[in-house]
Amino acid sequence: MSRLVSMTDMLNKALEGKYAVGQFNINNLEWTQAVLEAAEAEKSPVILGVSEGAGKYMGGVKVVSAMVEALMETMNITVPVALHLDHGSSFENCKSAIDAGFSSVMIDNSAFVIDKNIEETKKVVEYAHSKGASVEAEVGTVGGTEDGVTGGVNYADAQECLRMVTEAKIDALAAALGSVHGDYEGEPVLGFDEMKIISDLTKTPLVLHGGSGIPEFQIKKAIENGHSKINVNTELQQVWTKAVREKLSSDAKVYDPRKVIAPGKDAIIATVKTTMQRFGSSNQA
């Protein structure tokens, strides 16, 4: 019996309660331990995001799923946890993740025209829902670079968003409204008016990709305008790397990998806790 849950209930509760659940992308065992430890400490629901590239790096979706399930048991995790495929590139990859035990997937057909995007997304939704998994889809294009994939920003159209929700019956909508993956050059410019229109029209939890580096006042405004899921990846990579670099530069004799990366893990725990507080998901489990 899986300990994982889909995103559906946690995101609908967040939409109603005007807070957001964080998706924190994981890259290895320690990363996963850190995010789960922070979630349990904050009593917050959490979404573990796994990009296709990170999944391959960790040994494949079966390994990732087994690792997460085992950690939840040995760490005695009591908060709701979803294991989510981030930017799934095909029905086959989404199906493989679900079959391996993932409780949620994102199918990213945003490069297609809207008719094909909806048509291909429907197939994933039908399979996922038959297995109790949730589905996120994207309309428009989130800019920036993630896992070697680069794209420019293309704002989502409100009517196309409504069609995606009503026709494909998705559980969460990533409507591209100015956020980007990776680092921002200057302050992000998000389409708050468009967010409100799309949120009021679809009445579906919205997903903000590229959550790292967005000022807190903009995060709060995005939540007010229907965002119930915010993705964080770059910031965790940055704080991990900074802490590990500092350890190596301050201790020339350290060579035990556990001691080398321990400060990185601690940095992730601290950052995830702070982020959950900022998103308002603490004590919402």
Side-chain angles (χ1 to χ4, degrees):
M1 179 93 178
S2 175
R3 293 169 177 263
L4 296 164
V5 298
S6 79
M7 299 193 305
T8 308
D9 283 347
M10 64 171 80
L11 293 190
N12 286 334
K13 283 180 186 173
L15 183 63
E16 190 178 334
K18 293 289 184 185
Y19 61 91
V21 179
Q23 172 188 301
F24 300 95
N25 282 45
I26 57 174
N27 292 283
N28 58 26
L29 174 76
E30 291 83 5
W31 219 280
T32 312
Q33 287 173 314
V35 176
L36 289 174
E37 184 176 325
E40 188 65 26
E42 287 298 314
K43 296 300 172 199
S44 169
V46 69
I47 299 158
L48 302 178
V50 182
S51 67
E52 291 186 345
K56 287 175 187 170
Y57 173 80
M58 288 186 274
V61 288
K62 288 182 180 178
V63 173
V64 176
S65 180
M67 175 184 70
V68 171
E69 290 275 9
L71 284 175
M72 288 183 68
E73 180 180 352
T74 58
M75 294 174 70
N76 193 28
I77 301 299
T78 62
V79 298
V81 179
L83 180 58
H84 179 75
L85 180 68
D86 194 21
H87 290 282
S89 59
S90 67
F91 170 82
E92 290 74 22
N93 288 359
C94 289
K95 181 179 182 296
S96 294
I98 293 165
D99 290 346
F102 278 53
S103 61
S104 185
V105 294
M106 176 192 185
I107 178 66
D108 186 354
N109 290 316
S110 59
F112 297 142
V113 296
I114 190 62
D115 287 342
K116 185 164 186 188
N117 187 346
I118 292 169
E119 182 187 339
E120 294 300 315
T121 300
K122 271 185 185 175
K123 297 174 189 173
V124 176
V125 171
E126 285 168 10
Y127 188 78
H129 285 182
S130 75
K131 302 292 184 180
S134 52
V135 179
E136 172 188 338
E138 184 171 320
V139 175
T141 308
V142 175
T145 300
E146 182 174 55
D147 247 2
V149 179
T150 302
V153 177
N154 177 24
Y155 266 39
D157 176 84
Q159 290 303 319
E160 290 183 356
C161 289
L162 181 60
R163 283 190 59 199
M164 174 63 79
V165 168
T166 55
E167 294 176 34
K169 295 180 172 54
I170 57 171
D171 304 286
L173 172 66
L177 294 168
S179 61
V180 301
H181 296 122
D183 276 330
Y184 287 91
E185 295 179 11
E187 191 169 288
V189 180
L190 304 182
F192 294 111
D193 292 341
E194 292 87 348
M195 281 179 200
K196 179 159 177 46
I197 290 166
I198 290 169
S199 179
D200 290 346
L201 198 60
T202 63
K203 296 177 173 54
T204 296
L206 300 183
V207 181
L208 184 63
H209 283 247
S212 300
I214 297 178
E216 186 168 356
F217 80 94
Q218 291 199 24
I219 289 287
K220 292 193 181 305
K221 204 167 178 182
I223 293 171
E224 285 170 16
N225 287 307
H227 280 88
S228 310
K229 174 176 180 271
I230 301 176
N231 295 4
V232 178
N233 183 20
T234 301
E235 186 178 2
L236 298 188
Q237 293 179 345
Q238 289 170 338
V239 298
W240 184 93
T241 303
K242 182 173 183 282
V244 172
R245 279 195 178 121
E246 286 173 356
K247 177 65 177 175
L248 289 169
S249 64
S250 65
D251 186 350
K253 293 185 177 179
V254 68
Y255 59 83
D256 184 334
R258 293 167 296 182
K259 292 177 181 175
V260 170
I261 64 177
K265 180 181 173 186
D266 291 340
I268 291 173
I269 293 169
T271 302
V272 171
K273 283 182 178 179
T274 302
T275 304
M276 287 172 165
Q277 292 161 16
R278 189 181 302 137
F279 291 175
S281 67
S282 297
N283 299 311
Q284 297 290 350

